[in-house]
Amino acid sequence: MRKKIVAGNWKMNTLPKEGVELAKGVAAGRGEVCDSVEIIVCPPFTHIAQVVEAVEGKNVAVGAQDCATEVKGAYTGEISAEMIAALGCKYVILGHSERRQYYGETSESLNKKMARAYENNLMPIYCVGENLEEREAGRHFEVCKQQIEEVVFNLTAEQFAKLVIAYEPVWAIGTGKTATAEQAEEIHAYIREVLRSKFGAAAEQCPILYGGSCKPSNAGEIFSKENVDGGLIGGAALKAEDFLAIGKAF
Ligand code: PGA
């Protein structure tokens, strides 16, 4: 059986105190969510350490939202994979559409970040997804395939076994628009097929999360689809109650 995951991407939200409160709220209600569902919170870098402490022993994993392409050294302003691993992160989100769109993230930089993540035993949550124009032009399959081929196909079988993929249609992120459960299943099944073409049967074990205005009211339907293994949650992850309700939607 594939791992089920609900991950909260807090983006550039919460001050340390608020983040700790939110993390404690998630930890306190974690028991209401099935144990087999992996619950992950991804706070800003500034309070990862405090959040790790707040959820200790509570079966809540912590992830970072990005990491540097380089190992260490004279790269002002960057945060290395080694640093976030040292704080207790288990996951790192890579290739989020906001990073691709606003910060010039490319397959080239993402290949380096993936390498850094694996060197430090971090499990990448690699994001793919098309924008509105690409969706309207019917290019969504092609776009996701390319984002996977250029990065995921460079992984070894051993690395691939630790990968999580998040499909996030850019037109649904923070817009209140959600892909229908059918649209999600269609592309998730396609992504799995692309993965199968390279990694064979191991593709069956790779969790593929849906992201884009996922909330308590629509999570159940989306998660009921065969190839949807959970969600990467933005806005709704900022309230412990909503985030946990999404976890309970399985
Ligand atoms: P959203 O963000 O849930 O606010 O749409 C999802 C994401 O970008 O991870």
Side-chain angles (χ1 to χ4, degrees), residues 7-9 11 93 96-98 127 168 172-177 210-215 232-237:
N9 174 9
K11 307 192 180 181
I93 299 172
H96 191 280
S97 64
E98 286 152 16
C127 304
E168 302 207 302
I173 296 178
T175 58
K177 280 189 203 154
Y210 170 78
S213 299
C214 190
K215 42 188 185 271
L232 181 54
I233 319 299

Side-chain angles (χ1 to χ4, degrees), residues 74-102:
Y75 301 100
T76 303
E78 289 295 278
I79 310 274
S80 72
E82 188 179 14
M83 290 170 183
I84 57 180
L87 292 180
C89 282
K90 182 171 167 194
Y91 292 91
V92 60
I93 299 172
L94 292 177
H96 191 280
S97 64
E98 286 152 16
R99 303 269 353 144
R100 293 180 191 263
Q101 193 178 341
Y102 308 138

Side-chain angles (χ1 to χ4, degrees), residues 33-55:
V33 180
C34 184
D35 263 357
S36 63
V37 178
E38 173 96 322
I39 295 288
I40 309 169
V41 292
C42 303
F45 292 125
T46 46
H47 34 297
I48 286 174
Q50 283 157 278
V51 166
V52 166
E53 199 185 313
V55 301

